[in-house]
Amino acid sequence: MLTKSVLTIAEVTHILEAARAEAERSDWKVAIAVVDDGGHPLALLRLDGCAPIGGYIATEKARTSALGRRESKVYEDMINGGRTAFLSTPLSGTLEGGVPVVVDGQVVGAVGVSGVQAAQDALVAKAGAGAISG
């Protein structure tokens, strides 16, 4: 039988703190979502001033990244590159800003961020994921 690492509340809190610090450094009003490796929500933090839809979009970006085992930007790039059939998949967070959390070469979850420009969302998500990825 195989064993795997899982995110605990300690790691989730650390991820949120790192992502929040990155967002606040630039005064970005974002929502930050953390999901497990199956895309199930573990935490959501919507900073003051972030639109309510940010929480939904951040969660979907994180879910897409966790289930796909890659950054959500990969799917956005495929669609923008002409593979429009990919729009029929059951994923709704196919925008930049979802980043997997990788521990010992395995995806254990993902971080999704929404609220500012796509590259800025990704920067915040990477700061969160990078807080424990190894």
Side-chain angles (χ1 to χ4, degrees), residues 80-95:
N80 289 340
R83 192 163 181 217
T84 56
F86 200 81
L87 290 169
S88 65
T89 66
L91 301 172
S92 63
T94 54
L95 302 168

Side-chain angles (χ1 to χ4, degrees), residues 52-121:
I53 196 168
Y56 176 81
I57 295 170
T59 302
E60 291 305 310
K61 288 179 179 183
R63 180 175 288 121
T64 294
S65 182
L67 293 174
R69 306 295 197 249
R70 60 185 48 96
E71 288 191 34
S72 57
K73 182 181 186 333
V74 170
Y75 301 108
E76 181 178 10
D77 290 345
M78 280 194 302
I79 294 164
N80 289 340
R83 192 163 181 217
T84 56
F86 200 81
L87 290 169
S88 65
T89 66
L91 301 172
S92 63
T94 54
L95 302 168
E96 184 175 8
V99 176
V101 176
V102 180
V103 174
D104 296 327
Q106 299 295 316
V107 173
V108 297
V111 183
V113 176
S114 180
V116 287
Q117 295 179 12
Q120 295 166 334
D121 288 345

Side-chain angles (χ1 to χ4, degrees), residues 11 21 25 29 32 46 50-51 55-56 69 74-75 112 126-128:
E11 289 87 25
R25 227 183 319 279
K29 313 301 187 210
I32 305 159
R46 186 164 54 96
C50 179
Y56 176 81
R69 306 295 197 249
V74 170
Y75 301 108
K126 288 176 184 176

